[in-house]
Amino acid sequence: MRTVTLLVILAGGLFYTWIAFADLNFLSRAGRLGPGFFPRFIGAGIVLMTLVSLVDDLRRKPGTGETDIGLSRSVATIMGLALLYLAAMWLAGGVVGSVVFLFAALSVFNPGRLVANIAVSLAMPLVIYLLFVVLLNADMPEGVIPLPF
């Protein structure tokens, strides 16, 4: 099951990377970083890390590692959290949706560390907001519910 999951992630990562290289410009007409700058690096990272994980999985001896049931449960949890993320982004926007998603994901996969989970859940969207909105003058998704910031 893990190998199949990694192959699906690899296919999605390759498609994402292809779109980033084929359709998005690396630089804008003004010579500044364009819409393809970050997606190219992210796509290449997804493909590289998935290939490393796939090679590691293929080298692993049968009977070692996580069971298929445990992996399936983790995959189902991530899929449910991704749907929660989409709903939160649609309702409240990118920043608040990211806070909700990160807190939910960390609460499930990093239990018992409430303070650290809250800190990461608040810090990461703030850093992303500062990077994209303030530094790069890009937009974050806005939600249906208007927020004061």
Side-chain angles (χ1 to χ4, degrees), residues 49-97:
M49 287 186 280
T50 305
L51 283 173
V52 168
S53 295
L54 189 59
V55 168
D56 181 56
D57 187 58
L58 294 173
R59 287 185 177 174
R60 183 174 290 149
K61 295 177 182 169
T64 61
E66 191 172 2
T67 64
D68 282 346
I69 292 173
L71 183 62
S72 298
R73 195 172 295 137
S74 295
V75 169
T77 303
I78 288 291
M79 290 173 70
L81 289 171
L83 291 174
L84 172 71
Y85 187 38
L86 289 174
M89 279 184 51
W90 178 76
L91 281 174
V95 176
V96 175

Side-chain angles (χ1 to χ4, degrees), residues 14 41 45 83 96 116 120:
L14 287 169
F41 286 107
L83 291 174
V96 175
V120 170

Side-chain angles (χ1 to χ4, degrees), residues 35-53:
F37 179 77
F38 284 112
R40 288 180 183 190
F41 286 107
I42 291 169
I46 289 169
V47 170
L48 180 67
M49 287 186 280
T50 305
L51 283 173
V52 168
S53 295

Side-chain angles (χ1 to χ4, degrees), residues 92-116:
V95 176
V96 175
S98 296
V99 170
V100 170
F101 170 74
L102 283 172
F103 183 72
L106 289 171
S107 295
V108 170
F109 293 106
N110 191 28
R113 302 193 60 200
L114 183 63
V115 174

